[in-house]
Amino acid sequence: MSPKTSKANQSQGLLLFKLNQTQLFALGTLKIRELVPFTPLTKIPHSHSAILGAATIRGMTIPVIDMAAAIGYKPVSESERKDCYIIITDCQRMVIGFLVRAIDKIIECNWRNIEAPSGNLGRDAFLTGVTRFDDKLVQLLDVELLLSKIFPDDPINNRAILTDVQREKLTPLRILLVDDSKVARKQLSDALDSINIAYQVTADGRDALQMMQQAAAERKPIDLLVSDIEMPGLDGYELAFEVKNNPEIEHAYIILHTSLSSEISVSQAKQVGANEALTKFDAKELIEAMLRGAQALQPA
């Protein structure tokens, strides 16, 4: 019997752009709605210093962030703005514009060719991965970390309330959390810590697959897998497919957990065998999905 081929497309578009004269940065095109030339902005009172103002685009008022300033580079001067572009993104339930100095191009990139950033970069390195294109280094930006600095999360969103009966359903389960974003890992961990539920966590899809295989070999298989979609090395779609294509670990209930606000991501999640796809981040929705997983895992 020939091996199954994943229905997930490992190749994904990356938009390359510049925040200074030399370095190339990237965002996945699934996060991007459109690109627009700089447009006049209306000041937003008492807003973060990196928020330049709001633009009205297609009838929608959208905050616009100087991305260079937000990650610690030289801010875009007023005289430069006329030559800049705004990247309109749909991420983490927010439509946000990012002002960048130049748009380079859109390329196709295989997630397996994206490497995790060096661990020496520090806590506030706004990167989730690095790759190369035409012998140039391309740095993938961690939009979740950037947005968390500008729009601090309301702690109440990281908390869920469980009844004793619900807690008893989750407590016996072996749970694995996977996300390359430091912010997302903390949000997931805080959500489970707040209800005193044990879990394992990793930043890498390949590591997650190995951990699941090892756990199965030790007769302690993972029951609930909560994974990001966009990750270097092995993305969430491919991880879900690999899990469902392995009889030793296929019983796991898979929740893909993504900053992408897209019907496409939900549709692909189902194709590769994931049970659910959620948009980050709402602790209550996550816990409800995990409870559905607990119910589905109960013996018939």
Side-chain angles (χ1 to χ4, degrees), residues 109-125:
C109 182
N110 192 306
W111 280 109
R112 293 182 187 274
N113 296 331
I114 299 173
E115 300 176 2
S118 168
N120 300 324
L121 293 177
R123 293 182 55 215
D124 289 334

Side-chain angles (χ1 to χ4, degrees), residues 30-172:
L30 287 177
K31 288 188 172 82
I32 297 170
R33 282 192 171 194
E34 61 179 316
L35 308 174
V36 297
F38 179 76
T39 185
L41 304 176
T42 303
K43 285 286 187 183
I44 302 175
H46 313 297
S47 59
H48 188 281
S49 60
I51 299 177
L52 299 175
T56 301
I57 298 172
R58 305 192 193 286
M60 179 182 289
T61 301
I62 301 171
V64 175
I65 295 168
D66 180 344
M67 184 180 269
I71 68 169
Y73 284 69
K74 180 183 175 183
V76 176
S77 66
E78 289 201 30
S79 62
E80 289 181 280
R81 291 181 189 179
K82 65 182 187 306
D83 300 317
C84 294
Y85 276 80
I86 300 173
I87 303 172
I88 308 297
T89 65
D90 189 348
C91 180
Q92 288 197 306
R93 306 171 192 246
M94 294 189 289
V95 178
I96 299 287
F98 290 106
L99 187 74
V100 300
R101 283 188 161 91
I103 299 295
D104 191 76
K105 60 175 68 71
I106 292 176
I107 64 169
E108 287 293 314
C109 182
N110 192 306
W111 280 109
R112 293 182 187 274
N113 296 331
I114 299 173
E115 300 176 2
S118 168
N120 300 324
L121 293 177
R123 293 182 55 215
D124 289 334
F126 293 86
L127 302 180
T128 59
V130 294
T131 188
R132 301 196 77 86
F133 178 75
D134 285 348
D135 291 328
K136 295 177 183 176
L137 184 70
V138 177
Q139 303 177 78
L140 274 69
L141 282 176
D142 187 342
V143 177
E144 289 153 323
L145 178 57
L146 192 160
L147 291 177
S148 75
K149 301 290 186 184
I150 295 174
F151 305 104
D153 206 19
D154 185 342
I156 199 163
N157 291 336
N158 289 359
R159 300 289 181 267
I161 298 173
L162 283 187
T163 66
D164 289 342
V165 172
Q166 290 172 325
R167 184 176 285 102
E168 286 306 308
K169 290 180 179 178
L170 290 182
T171 298

Side-chain angles (χ1 to χ4, degrees), residues 173-242:
L173 300 182
R174 299 181 185 94
I175 299 169
L176 177 59
L177 312 175
V178 194
D179 206 300
D180 63 325
S181 167
K182 289 175 283 191
V183 169
R185 288 198 301 277
K186 186 175 188 307
Q187 288 174 328
L188 290 166
S189 299
D190 286 350
L192 294 189
D193 287 343
S194 71
I195 54 175
N196 200 29
I197 297 295
Y199 58 88
Q200 299 177 70
V201 63
T202 181
D204 185 278
R206 288 196 187 103
D207 284 349
L209 187 60
Q210 291 176 357
M211 289 168 73
M212 293 184 74
Q213 291 167 337
Q214 181 65 33
E218 295 172 359
R219 299 182 183 272
K220 298 176 181 178
I222 298 297
D223 302 303
L224 277 176
L225 172 66
V226 181
S227 174
D228 186 24
I229 290 178
E230 293 187 302
M231 296 186 294
L234 191 71
D235 72 11
Y237 293 135
E238 195 74 3
L239 174 59
F241 180 84
E242 293 291 344

Side-chain angles (χ1 to χ4, degrees), residues 247-293:
E248 300 299 319
I249 57 179
E250 65 176 355
H251 92 286
Y253 191 89
I254 301 175
I255 302 167
L256 291 185
H257 188 241
T258 175
S259 59
L260 304 173
S261 303
S262 167
E263 292 299 322
I264 297 172
S265 59
V266 175
S267 172
Q268 272 200 292
K270 298 292 186 183
Q271 289 180 37
V272 296
N275 300 90
E276 305 199 33
L278 303 179
T279 302
K280 299 174 181 175
F281 182 80
D282 186 301
K284 184 172 181 289
E285 288 183 6
L286 174 64
I287 300 305
E288 286 174 350
M290 296 175 100
L291 286 167
R292 288 192 290 271

